[in-house]
Amino acid sequence: MNATSPPKPPPAAWLLAPPWWLAPALFTVAAALGGAWGYRTSPFVHASAWLALPYVIPAVLVAASWWPASRPSARVRALVLGGMGAFAALVYAHLATFTLYVVAFVLWAFQGGG
């Protein structure tokens, strides 16, 4: 038996293949812009800087999308992680604001109302 390798696609097909780095680059830009917009539109702008520390989690999720995929399932996982990171950066400040308001209201309600 003579085993031959499958034919390589022509060079024109290489140019039509989507670049793998395009989605992670878009997620990086979306996370940075979403995080900046979310932080600027929340009351955290005047708070201490440690409240910005949880932005590390969306940054790590987006950074995980930069890992080159060796399988189609890894490519899907990278897209999901990048999308989750960009979304988390967008909503973190507002979700944290809501959580702090709920905690303050519950503490106020249980301490006797005032």
Side-chain angles (χ1 to χ4, degrees), residues 11 26 30 50 55 69 96 109:
L26 291 175
W50 67 269
Y55 278 107

Side-chain angles (χ1 to χ4, degrees), residues 33-81:
L33 292 176
W37 179 79
Y39 191 76
R40 295 288 295 166
T41 59
S42 75
F44 286 167
V45 175
H46 306 293
S48 60
W50 67 269
L51 286 174
L53 186 63
Y55 278 107
V56 170
I57 295 169
V60 168
L61 290 173
V62 171
S65 72
W66 279 97
W67 196 268
S70 59
R71 297 181 315 273
S73 63
R75 183 174 299 131
V76 170
R77 184 181 66 234
L79 291 174
V80 168
L81 287 175

